[in-house]
């Protein structure tokens, strides 16, 4: 069954919920709420990757995420750490995180691959071409499915060459990252063509390509529709803001499939 990864932005400037969970106490309570309403993982991030976002110092990122990771892990929540920095990944795993979610797929920090090999934890490698301040300029593809497939394959090769267990790698097509609008849809419609047999994480939640004329919060129904399609196609996990809506959608797909298999 498809897993739910609940988004917890411990930042003041994320595109959908920036500032709501910026303080540690509020973030911890939000993480517990996500877990109680269906999140299998709570993805803690201390650096916004919205279009145009500037990077924060490593010390700031660590100060934001580590108290939250420790507290949620102590409560039995499965925590993933959303970071492009190897040092943050290591510190978060040592604090209890079980998965590293790297939107750069190891490209932003050359130490990441070796760090993940050493930590021997699950690792999400996302398709990525540039940092947030310039990523929209890199939305240039002759065949987006083939190019994302090949660029992700190059990341997998680099990771395994550094000693990362192939079975630990999860692929993410990077919806919205160097993909402004129409480049995103073929990656959803043709999952098998770029993912092969790998586990897949899809992060479409409230992103602008779902409904460019609507505000992020108004894209929640479209997000749930994508979650439903992902569950129907056997996607390993979806990364979402509303864990309850995602869990309900996944349950509907499961019941639908069970009904088809049940004898009359």
């Amino acid at each position: 069954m498809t897993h739910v990864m609940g988004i917890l932005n411990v930042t003041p400037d994320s595109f959908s919920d920036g500032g709501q969970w910026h303080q540690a106490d509020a973030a911890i309570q939000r993480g517990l709420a996500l877990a109680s309403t269906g999140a299998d993982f709570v993805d803690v991030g201390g650096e916004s990757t919205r279009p145009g976002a500037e990077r924060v110092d490593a010390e700031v990122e660590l100060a934001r995420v580590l108290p939250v990771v420790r507290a949620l892990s102590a409560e039995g929540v499965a925590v993933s750490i959303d970071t492009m920095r190897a040092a943050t990944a290591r510190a978060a795993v040592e604090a209890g995180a079980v998965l590293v979610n790297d939107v750069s797929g190891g490209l932003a920090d050359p130490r990441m691959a070796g760090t993940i090999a050493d930590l021997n934890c699950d690792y999400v490698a996302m398709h990525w071409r540039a940092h947030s301040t310039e990523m929209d300029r890199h939305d240039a593809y002759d065949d987006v499915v083939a190019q994302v497939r090949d660029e992700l394959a190059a990341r997998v090769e680099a990771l395994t060459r550094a000693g990362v267990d192939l079975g630990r790698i999860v692929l993410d097509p990077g919806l919205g990252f160097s993909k402004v609008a129409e480049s995103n849809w073929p990656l959803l419609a043709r999952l098998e063509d770029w993912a092969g047999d790998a586990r897949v994480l899809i992060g479409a939640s409230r992103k602008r390509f779902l409904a460019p004329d609507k505000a992020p919060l108004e894209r929640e129904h479209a997000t749930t529709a994508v979650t439903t399609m992902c569950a129907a196609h056997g996607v390993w996990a979806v990364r979402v803001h509303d864990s309850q809506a995602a869990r309900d959608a996944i349950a509907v797909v499961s019941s639908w499939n069970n009904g088809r298999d049940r004898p009359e």
Side-chain angles (χ1 to χ4, degrees), residues 18 82 176 190 225:
D82 176 6
R190 296 170 56 195

Side-chain angles (χ1 to χ4, degrees), residues 5 7 9 43-51 53 55 61 80-86 89 99-109 112 116 123-133 135 148 151-152 155 159 170-179 201-203 207 239:
M5 180 182 284
I7 299 168
N9 294 315
D43 194 39
V44 179
E47 180 177 31
S48 175
T49 52
R50 63 174 174 79
R55 299 212 68 187
E61 183 186 30
S80 60
I81 180 68
D82 176 6
T83 185
M84 292 182 279
R85 291 188 172 99
L99 183 153
V100 175
N101 180 19
D102 178 2
V103 301
S104 81
L107 288 170
D109 187 340
M112 184 64 87
I116 297 302
Y123 175 75
V124 178
M126 196 191 82
H127 177 263
W128 184 87
R129 285 183 166 183
H131 285 290
S132 297
T133 51
M135 65 183 181
V148 167
E151 289 169 35
L152 280 174
R155 300 314 308 144
L159 289 162
V170 179
L171 300 183
D172 180 338
L175 302 177
F177 287 79
S178 299
K179 305 166 194 76
L201 173 69
I202 293 294
K207 289 185 176 177
R239 183 176 182 272

Side-chain angles (χ1 to χ4, degrees), residues 5 65 81 101 113 148-149 151 173 184 210 260-262:
M5 180 182 284
V65 301
I81 180 68
N101 180 19
V148 167
R149 177 198 64 209
E151 289 169 35
N184 296 281
L210 294 175
R260 180 192 308 149
D261 298 334
R262 185 178 298 121

Side-chain angles (χ1 to χ4, degrees), residues 110-118 156-165:
R111 300 169 298 171
M112 184 64 87
T115 297
I116 297 302
D118 186 45
V156 170
E157 182 180 356
L159 289 162
T160 55
R161 190 167 59 244
V164 178
D165 183 345

